[in-house]
Amino acid sequence: MSTQRPDETTLHAWVDGELQPESAAAVAQWLADHPDEAARMAAIQAQTASLQALHAKVLDEPVPPELTRTLRQPPTQWRWPHALAAGLMLSLGISAGFGLGYGASQQKMAIAQTGTMTQLPGFVREAAAAHAVYVPEKRHPVEVAAQQQAHLVQWLSKRLGVSLKTPVLKAQGFQLMGGRLLPGETGQARAQFMYEDAAGERLTLYVSVLDQQATKTSAPAAFQWSRDGTAHGFYWIDGLQGYALSADLPRERLQVLADAIYRQLE
């Protein structure tokens, strides 16, 4: 178990994929032992992926010919009008890109299946971050393995204060790997169950217990669709419990899984 905390530069280098394999593995192990920091890094990863996805088309566009010709001129041929024009084009492009990225990311975070603009509940953001952190994990994807399922369910039920179930998804091709206890944004206990199919594809079911005030301002009980980077998801609220299913799967297949889970938990 790694005990020395990586500095912020190293953590951000890990997020950006700039570390050597040995260093990256050490940071990943440290994050696995520190779920709060893991969730923070996952949120940064998700934000970066979202911005890259939003600007993918812009980044692939060729540089405007006028700007290319101006920048290729020898320094002695530069005049203040050319410099001013190039500077304006660059600044306007950056400003427009930032505005587009901010507005589009806010919209993406808010669009539900109904097409209305609704801020995603906190537990959905938590679920996306936890999914991003633990799904790629090779050695410790879960805290308690499926072989100890009875203990896992009893333990997490006690910590969340509700009776939990682990849906069976064998008919859909997925086997339970196990689960773990996670902290919510404001310190509440959360549960994450992880499943895997024969091809190694993983999905996570994130379970939270909401307070009554949160349920008044959150999404309705009907399925809501969310997307964060490559991970797709469905989430719903049933009474005081919030559920979020996340996976890198087509929407149609994920909805079949969500339906199966909902029926078993109902």
Side-chain angles (χ1 to χ4, degrees):
M1 179 182 295
S2 176
T3 57
Q4 184 175 0
R5 183 190 189 280
D7 57 30
E8 283 298 306
T9 300
T10 302
L11 287 173
H12 285 274
W14 179 84
V15 168
D16 295 333
E18 297 177 351
L19 295 179
Q20 295 297 320
E22 296 80 5
S23 300
V27 172
Q29 180 59 55
W30 186 86
L31 289 173
D33 297 332
H34 298 80
D36 288 345
E37 286 295 302
R40 185 169 71 90
M41 292 300 104
I44 295 174
Q45 284 181 317
Q47 183 183 50
T48 301
S50 298
L51 289 173
Q52 290 176 342
L54 287 169
H55 297 298
K57 293 183 179 179
V58 177
L59 293 173
D60 291 337
E61 290 179 355
V63 178
E66 296 82 0
L67 182 58
T68 302
R69 287 194 295 269
T70 300
L71 293 175
R72 286 178 176 175
Q73 291 180 7
T76 56
Q77 296 182 19
W78 275 66
R79 298 291 185 270
W80 72 266
H82 298 95
L84 178 60
L88 284 173
M89 292 175 71
L90 287 172
S91 63
L92 287 173
I94 293 173
S95 299
F98 179 80
L100 173 65
Y102 180 80
S105 63
Q106 289 295 98
Q107 182 180 22
K108 181 181 73 65
M109 287 292 290
I111 293 179
Q113 190 176 10
T114 59
T116 59
M117 297 295 290
T118 307
Q119 180 64 38
L120 288 177
F123 76 89
V124 181
R125 299 191 298 271
E126 297 167 6
H131 180 86
V133 168
Y134 293 111
V135 160
E137 181 65 37
K138 301 299 183 184
R139 295 182 61 186
H140 305 288
V142 296
E143 192 171 2
V144 179
Q147 289 80 354
Q148 297 178 283
Q149 182 174 340
H151 164 66
L152 172 67
V153 174
Q154 182 181 17
W155 171 51
L156 294 179
S157 296
K158 182 178 180 180
R159 292 304 307 270
L160 270 68
V162 295
S163 179
L164 299 179
K165 299 178 181 178
T166 51
V168 177
L169 301 176
K170 290 182 179 179
Q172 291 75 31
F174 281 87
Q175 297 280 352
L176 178 69
M177 297 178 66
R180 65 173 62 246
L181 178 71
L182 292 171
E185 289 181 346
T186 56
Q188 311 97 320
R190 308 298 200 204
Q192 183 194 61
F193 297 103
M194 188 178 296
Y195 295 78
E196 188 175 49
D197 67 6
E201 191 68 51
R202 293 176 176 178
L203 63 84
T204 57
L205 175 64
Y206 190 85
V207 186
S208 60
V209 177
L210 311 176
D211 57 44
Q212 293 183 356
Q213 185 60 34
T215 59
K216 293 179 181 179
T217 58
S218 296
F223 282 172
Q224 303 290 309
W225 168 253
S226 66
R227 179 169 182 172
D228 191 348
T230 59
H232 304 169
F234 278 98
Y235 66 93
W236 64 96
I237 296 174
D238 187 3
L240 293 180
Q241 291 180 232
Y243 300 92
L245 181 67
S246 304
D248 184 10
L249 294 172
R251 177 170 175 164
E252 295 74 15
R253 187 182 180 195
L254 192 57
Q255 184 161 8
V256 170
L257 289 159
D259 288 337
I261 292 172
Y262 182 82
R263 287 195 302 270
Q264 294 182 52
L265 297 178
E266 191 176 13

